[in-house]
Amino acid sequence: SRHMIFTGNSGTGKTEVAKLTARIFREMGILPEGHLVIANKSQLVGKWKGWSGANTRAKIEEAMGGILFIDEAYLLVAKDKDRGDEFGEEVIGALIDEMDDKRDQFIVIMAGYKPDMERLLSTNQGLKSRVANFVDFPDYSADELYEIFEKFCADQEMILSEGGKKAARLRISDIHANKGENFGNAREIRNLLEECCANLGGRIGGRDNIADHEFDTIIASDFGDEYSGYDSEDEAMPWLYSEEEIERLEQEKAELEEEMRKLGRKPGR
């Protein structure tokens, strides 16, 4: 059996690894199609009795030749053992049958938080016996989260100033140090980038003289006012140092000097 369980917090790359697995298995000749079909409880559980099994078999048919990835699979069973989830159990029943009968035609990967996935398997030995591979995805380190932040910036063609880089490392280290049990990892970092972009917009939005590079440059203060000390003057006030502004000031200076020169000659006429 090649069916798998992926465990770990959100944002640790479980879905991306599932996509890569499908692609690799296609290259190896294990899966003819190598595509990934993503499903969750809301797509599998039906409104009436009997519908859940039909929904599940339809998703399996869609995944034939590839991988069926069931995210948050633990939601298919009730937390309270004394209160069963009849429709969720119907999904699991249909899965078990197809995972066995068609094990050479498709692969199931179920994903979720580790304690919850252990609870899922403990409720159904038939399901547990059909899964041979368990992969745990640990939380990212602070350095890895910073690298992810840089990649997200590059993907959106955003630039980090030198002060911004220092602030990013400090802010991300603080986020990592204070993470909770169900830490969001890359999702937390994506939220941080969105926060920075919103702060950038607020910072330059009220000005008229905005240099082109300011639209896509994140500086230290965009991570919060407490990080503004890491901005150099030309990063915090780039309009004072832009080529256009310097040229304009030099032109005004030349004009003023000319006026003063003329005024200086007036009394002699």
Side-chain angles (χ1 to χ4, degrees), residues 1-127:
S1 171
R2 296 188 178 91
H3 304 304
M4 307 179 199
I5 295 288
F6 285 1
T7 57
N9 285 335
S10 61
T12 49
K14 296 186 292 296
T15 305
E16 290 303 313
V17 171
K19 291 177 183 177
L20 287 171
T21 301
R23 215 174 299 160
I24 291 168
F25 280 9
R26 181 188 61 200
E27 295 298 322
M28 294 173 64
I30 295 172
L31 293 172
E33 302 298 331
H35 64 298
L36 185 75
V37 175
I38 301 174
N40 55 37
K41 181 180 179 179
S42 66
Q43 296 168 304
L44 299 175
V45 170
K47 188 175 181 180
W48 307 106
K49 187 174 181 179
W51 287 17
S52 299
N55 289 348
T56 304
R57 285 187 286 273
K59 276 294 176 186
I60 291 171
E61 187 61 33
E62 186 182 343
M64 277 296 155
I67 291 177
L68 175 61
F69 182 84
I70 304 177
D71 197 18
E72 297 182 325
Y74 55 86
L75 294 175
L76 293 170
V77 296
K79 285 188 176 181
D80 187 346
K81 292 182 179 180
D82 296 328
R83 297 180 61 189
D85 185 334
E86 184 180 357
F87 292 164
E89 290 171 2
E90 190 179 328
V91 170
I92 293 172
L95 274 173
I96 289 173
D97 290 342
E98 300 293 274
M99 287 168 72
D100 196 26
D101 295 343
K102 300 177 181 177
R103 58 183 176 275
D104 295 326
Q105 300 175 48
F106 82 115
I107 292 171
V108 174
I109 298 178
M110 289 174 281
Y113 298 113
K114 190 171 185 177
D116 292 321
M117 295 304 291
E118 289 173 347
R119 176 175 55 83
L120 167 65
L121 295 177
S122 70
T123 63
N124 194 304
Q125 290 301 312
L127 180 61

Side-chain angles (χ1 to χ4, degrees), residues 37-246:
V37 175
I38 301 174
N40 55 37
K41 181 180 179 179
S42 66
Q43 296 168 304
L44 299 175
V45 170
K47 188 175 181 180
W48 307 106
K49 187 174 181 179
W51 287 17
S52 299
N55 289 348
T56 304
R57 285 187 286 273
K59 276 294 176 186
I60 291 171
E61 187 61 33
E62 186 182 343
M64 277 296 155
I67 291 177
L68 175 61
F69 182 84
I70 304 177
D71 197 18
E72 297 182 325
Y74 55 86
L75 294 175
L76 293 170
V77 296
K79 285 188 176 181
D80 187 346
K81 292 182 179 180
D82 296 328
R83 297 180 61 189
D85 185 334
E86 184 180 357
F87 292 164
E89 290 171 2
E90 190 179 328
V91 170
I92 293 172
L95 274 173
I96 289 173
D97 290 342
E98 300 293 274
M99 287 168 72
D100 196 26
D101 295 343
K102 300 177 181 177
R103 58 183 176 275
D104 295 326
Q105 300 175 48
F106 82 115
I107 292 171
V108 174
I109 298 178
M110 289 174 281
Y113 298 113
K114 190 171 185 177
D116 292 321
M117 295 304 291
E118 289 173 347
R119 176 175 55 83
L120 167 65
L121 295 177
S122 70
T123 63
N124 194 304
Q125 290 301 312
L127 180 61
K128 186 176 182 179
S129 67
R130 285 164 174 77
V131 178
N133 305 285
F134 297 82
V135 183
D136 187 50
F137 290 70
D139 287 341
Y140 290 114
S141 68
D143 287 341
E144 289 170 331
L145 291 172
Y146 176 76
E147 290 177 10
I148 290 170
F149 186 83
E150 285 192 315
K151 183 182 184 304
F152 285 166
C153 287
D155 289 345
Q156 296 193 28
E157 299 184 343
M158 301 298 294
I159 299 167
L160 276 172
S161 71
E162 289 305 311
K165 290 176 182 178
K166 295 174 184 176
R169 283 196 178 276
L170 289 170
R171 178 73 186 276
I172 289 169
S173 292
D174 185 61
I175 290 171
H176 185 266
N178 294 284
K179 66 178 183 175
E181 183 181 357
N182 295 328
F183 180 55
N185 289 277
R187 292 182 186 177
E188 297 280 350
I189 299 305
R190 189 177 296 281
N191 291 341
L192 175 61
L193 177 57
E194 291 175 357
E195 176 189 327
C196 289
C197 290
N199 290 339
L200 187 160
R203 175 169 54 82
I204 68 174
R207 295 204 334 258
D208 294 326
N209 52 340
I210 304 173
D212 289 343
H213 72 275
E214 290 187 79
F215 289 102
D216 52 20
T217 301
I218 295 172
I219 65 174
S221 58
D222 294 327
F223 291 89
D225 291 340
E226 63 270 35
Y227 299 99
S228 59
Y230 293 96
D231 289 323
S232 61
E233 285 189 5
D234 59 326
E235 289 173 342
M237 297 180 289
W239 63 91
L240 295 180
Y241 298 88
S242 66
E243 291 182 8
E244 296 86 352
E245 188 65 14
I246 290 172

